[in-house]
Amino acid sequence: MDFNMKKLASDAGIFFTRAVQFTEEKFGQAEKTELDAHFENLLARADSTKNWTERILRQTEVLLQPNPSARVEEFLYEKLDRKVPSRVTNGELLAQYMAEAASELGPTTPYGTTLVKVSEAEKRLGAAERDFIHAASVSFLTPLRNFLEGDWKTISKERRLLQNRRLDLDACKARLKKAKAAEAKASAEQELRVAQTEFDRQAEVTRLLLEGISSTHVNHLRCLHEFVKSQTTYYAQCYRHMLDLQKQLGRFPGTFVGTPEPASPPLSSTSPTTAAATMPVVPAVASLAPPGEAALCLEEVAPSTSGTRKARVLYDYEAADSSELALLADELITVYSLPGMDPDWLIGERGNKKGKVPVTYLELLS
């Protein structure tokens, strides 16, 4: 008990001495041992690394999970060391709603059948998003968290210890200046030598840890490459899924075909890397005819030698451009094909009007 009281009194004395030294330094009443420029640069780089790692980590979490409530829930599960429950992605939820809507509105109608197709694509997009979130969490977020919760805590602890050793050193220097008697000077000099040794030792430990930030940068660089790789894979999967969906809808009855978007202006950069990385723009379904057909003057095209057929229009169709023929449900038109023409399209005639029409909108009659 007596030992504990002595230790408590000693600790209180050291704390008080440090507090006095720190206060006098703030008011300019005491000298402060300055660290060398290299050490200060290491401290500044470490602080910058920590601050930007926190920002990048938090914003990446927002990117992967925009819902703040869900992020808080996942954080609590991690702190409680419990497995985070599987969560349905937004794409998967949308797919579920579309599938249920198709079931209720009629899965065999044009709208219902299209809903089914789109829901299947959204489900695949949701699964791809889930894989991306998992890959990014493992290869990018986890290493960043490990740095903040491991290495940085160690650095912070040693920096606080270095600060205390520096305050002790400067307090000893101040006592030596104030000492008058020879015995007091000798005691102050001895305390100063001990304080200087402890400060130098702690400064070396802290310096080694701060220089380790370079290794942290290398590790984070590798993790960043992994993040880009997983993100590239994710967007490539999404592109393939949507391209496949668009092709399916182009052959599907009841699908609306809008006016093609104007072509994007050419890229200003001539970098081969940039050009290779640019995904091609998916053309509108109405523009998928062979190149020669767009230049044909349909008024001058004669019916195929194989003859013409009557066809009944199943659904209304709005012409995308002047080369196409607008259709009304249940009307009868004359149709025929041309050599080399896309099998998904025919030439349709109504009176003196002529134009391309999609096969999926027609019921061919004998």
Side-chain angles (χ1 to χ4, degrees):
M1 182 69 178
D2 183 54
F3 171 78
N4 292 337
M5 290 299 297
K6 288 182 179 180
K7 184 175 185 304
L8 181 63
S10 175
D11 291 344
I14 294 174
F15 177 80
F16 178 75
T17 301
R18 291 170 179 170
V20 170
Q21 178 67 26
F22 181 80
T23 302
E24 290 180 348
E25 289 175 358
K26 287 298 182 182
F27 285 98
Q29 299 173 351
E31 295 182 2
K32 175 182 177 181
T33 299
E34 299 292 342
L35 300 170
D36 61 76
H38 175 65
F39 202 102
E40 292 289 354
N41 289 336
L42 291 176
L43 288 173
R45 186 176 67 153
D47 288 334
S48 182
T49 300
K50 179 258 185 181
N51 293 334
W52 283 112
T53 299
E54 283 183 331
R55 292 184 183 184
I56 293 172
L57 173 65
R58 299 292 173 257
Q59 191 56 37
T60 306
E61 290 176 335
V62 172
L63 173 69
L64 299 180
Q65 177 49 268
N67 188 333
S69 300
R71 292 200 302 272
V72 171
E73 181 182 350
E74 292 173 359
F75 174 78
L76 293 176
Y77 272 101
E78 290 177 0
K79 290 302 180 182
L80 296 174
D81 198 21
R82 296 176 59 184
K83 183 179 179 181
V84 179
S86 178
R87 191 184 305 277
V88 178
T89 63
N90 291 328
E92 291 171 326
L93 188 59
L94 176 60
Q96 178 184 337
Y97 290 164
M98 287 184 170
E100 293 175 357
S103 177
E104 184 171 333
L105 299 176
T108 59
T109 64
Y111 181 44
T113 312
T114 304
L115 276 174
V116 171
K117 290 294 183 182
V118 177
S119 71
E120 292 172 354
E122 293 297 335
K123 187 175 181 179
R124 289 192 290 269
L125 292 177
E129 180 184 3
R130 183 190 302 278
D131 292 340
F132 166 58
I133 292 173
H134 175 73
S137 298
V138 172
S139 63
F140 190 61
L141 292 184
T142 298
L144 265 58
R145 288 197 191 98
N146 289 343
F147 165 72
L148 294 173
E149 297 175 2
D151 294 350
W152 182 253
K153 285 187 177 180
T154 302
I155 292 174
S156 299
K157 176 184 176 182
E158 298 301 330
R159 285 178 66 176
R160 287 192 299 268
L161 189 56
L162 177 63
Q163 171 74 349
N164 292 336
R165 293 288 182 262
R166 204 264 314 154
L167 290 172
D168 294 342
L169 175 63
D170 288 338
C172 289
K173 290 180 179 179
R175 281 197 297 271
L176 180 60
K177 286 185 178 181
K178 294 177 182 178
K180 301 299 182 182
E183 184 177 348
K185 283 186 177 181
S187 176
E189 288 175 350
Q190 177 62 26
E191 291 179 354
L192 179 59
R193 284 193 291 271
V194 173
Q196 184 69 57
T197 300
E198 292 182 348
F199 171 77
D200 292 341
R201 183 185 300 114
Q202 185 58 38
E204 180 64 15
V205 171
T206 307
R207 182 184 65 80
L208 291 175
L209 289 173
L210 293 174
E211 289 178 345
I213 291 294
S214 296
S215 298
T216 299
H217 287 186
V218 172
N219 184 43
H220 287 184
L221 174 61
R222 182 168 55 251
C223 296
L224 188 59
H225 277 276
E226 290 297 322
F227 175 70
V228 172
K229 180 180 177 181
S230 61
Q231 198 169 33
T232 302
T233 301
Y234 168 58
Y235 285 123
Q237 289 175 337
C238 292
Y239 173 75
R240 287 196 298 270
H241 293 325
M242 295 311 296
L243 180 61
D244 181 59
L245 174 62
Q246 190 177 38
K247 289 181 179 178
Q248 291 183 51
L249 295 185
R251 303 186 182 97
F252 220 61
T255 303
F256 173 76
V257 181
T259 303
E261 294 290 335
S264 301
L267 296 174
S268 58
S269 172
T270 58
S271 169
T273 303
T274 304
T278 305
M279 287 186 175
V281 177
V282 181
V285 176
S287 65
L288 293 179
E293 290 184 24
L296 289 177
C297 180
L298 293 177
E299 297 299 330
E300 300 175 0
V301 174
S304 170
T305 56
S306 61
T308 61
R309 298 180 65 179
K310 290 293 184 180
R312 184 174 66 86
V313 178
L314 298 175
Y315 318 100
D316 290 347
Y317 176 69
E318 181 180 358
D321 54 44
S322 60
S323 69
E324 297 181 7
L325 183 67
L327 303 175
L328 295 176
D330 295 325
E331 72 170 325
L332 294 177
I333 62 173
T334 301
V335 296
Y336 55 90
S337 63
L338 296 174
M341 189 173 182
D342 189 329
D344 293 333
W345 293 81
L346 293 172
I347 301 298
E349 289 185 353
R350 184 199 309 110
N352 60 353
K353 292 186 178 180
K354 184 184 302 185
K356 296 187 300 181
V357 292
V359 175
T360 52
Y361 282 69
L362 306 174
E363 177 186 3
L364 298 178
L365 306 176
S366 57

